[in-house]
Amino acid sequence: MTALAGSTADALWAVSLRRWNAVCWMLFAVMAVGLVAMNRAGGSKCAALVLLGAVVLCYGALDRFPANPVVRPHGYLSVLVVALGGLAYLRGNYAALFMVTLPHYWMFGRTPRAAMVFLGLAAAATLAGGVLRDDGWTVEFFTETLVSTLLVVAVGALIGLWAHSVVAQSAERARLLAELEQTQAELTEAHQRQGAADERERMARDIHDTLAQGFASIIVLAEAARAGLGPDPARSGRQLRSIESTARENLAEARELVGSGRRPDQTAAGSVAQTLRRTLDRFAEDTGLTVEAELEDLECDQQTRIALLRCTQESLANVRKHARASTVGVVLTRRPYGVELEITDDGAGFLVEDSSGFGLDGMRKRMAELGGRLTVTSSVGDGTRVLALIPLESAA
């Protein structure tokens, strides 16, 4: 950022220098004409023209070729100091040159300290030339040289310090603007990364809640069907039909995941009770477990219905894989504070604090996205109770 601020200050000085160039060259020309028109001995006139010419040549070289290795900014200011002292000694209209070149001390000095040093040297050289010209500290020296020189130096110092302050403020504003732009870019990048992470998490959750559960169901059904081929062919046939149906559903879900259609959790609108009833009927048919359901026929929005469906599917999948239960109870009802879904089983239970599965975390996040919460209560040998609550403002 410091480098950027420095480059901004350099740019401002460069713009100021270009604007002053036209005026400066015109004033140099006027000074040269004035020196040529002086009614004075040829030696002093020629010397004054030589000093002015040296200043003009150094300035022209620095202006046209700023990277040249011969005339550098401080070198030009040194030539200017000598020329001012010489013109003051020769009575060569030094005051005009002093005023014309005042901005150069700040443009080429580059720092306030260097500018003030060269400005002080120029004032000292001018006063020294005046003392030598007047053979000492005369009244003419005080009235003409000293007062005018100090006045020009004071005006130059004030203008230079003010300009430097303006440039510093501009550089600071540029630095702050650059920091703001960088912060905005970093924030945008962070949002993009977070969006990508959220999308990956959503896809993982959708795959877990749809394809993974379907494949797990297929595996269980296939194992049961293979075991029952001999003793109970009719039941094996039903299980094979369930395998086929589940496989077809998984295929449709997979196509939706990789295609450009709806997301896999964007099922058709309707009563959530009807949706849950179909899921429970399929579960009872596949597992042979007793399912006791009390489902209130209520309407809710799409996101709430999907969250309740996925919560039910995940809970039933856990019962199928881990619980070793004989009875599952599902209650869906509307409370004064929201929609409540309770799923219980009389299985083996588990220690909730030791559970680290993706399914429970996914259900909790689904509930949290809708402002609700998921409570899981279980202990070894006492079954499991899953309670999902979604506030009314989300379910309405």
Side-chain angles (χ1 to χ4, degrees), residues 49-130:
L49 286 173
V50 168
L51 291 173
L52 179 61
V55 172
V56 172
L57 287 175
C58 291
Y59 177 68
L62 194 60
D63 175 47
R64 299 300 180 184
F65 309 100
N68 77 87
V70 179
V71 181
R72 305 306 303 148
H74 286 183
Y76 163 70
L77 292 179
S78 300
V79 172
L80 183 58
V81 168
V82 174
L84 285 172
L87 289 174
Y89 175 74
L90 298 172
R91 297 181 182 271
N93 201 11
Y94 71 93
L97 180 63
F98 210 156
M99 288 185 289
V100 167
T101 57
L102 273 178
H104 293 180
Y105 296 99
W106 300 93
M107 291 178 181
F108 297 114
R110 311 307 294 271
T111 64
R113 175 175 294 184
M116 291 300 294
V117 167
F118 279 106
L119 191 58
L121 291 175
T126 301
L127 294 177

Side-chain angles (χ1 to χ4, degrees), residues 11 13 57 124 144 172 180 193 262:
W13 280 123
L57 287 175
E144 293 183 5
E172 179 66 14
L180 178 61
R193 289 197 301 267
R262 61 176 176 85

Side-chain angles (χ1 to χ4, degrees), residues 221-246:
L221 289 170
E223 291 175 347
R226 185 177 58 186
L229 281 176
D232 193 354
R235 182 182 178 188
S236 296
R238 290 194 302 271
Q239 290 168 336
L240 289 174
R241 284 193 297 273
S242 295
I243 290 174
E244 181 184 357
S245 176
T246 305

Side-chain angles (χ1 to χ4, degrees), residues 9-20:
D10 291 342
L12 288 175
W13 280 123
V15 171
S16 301
L17 183 60
R18 286 196 298 270
R19 292 176 178 176
W20 184 252

Side-chain angles (χ1 to χ4, degrees), residues 289 318-328 345-349 380-381:
L289 300 182
N318 289 335
V319 171
R320 183 201 299 265
K321 290 185 290 185
H322 308 298
R324 300 192 301 276
S326 60
T327 303
V328 177
D345 67 74
D346 59 355
V380 178

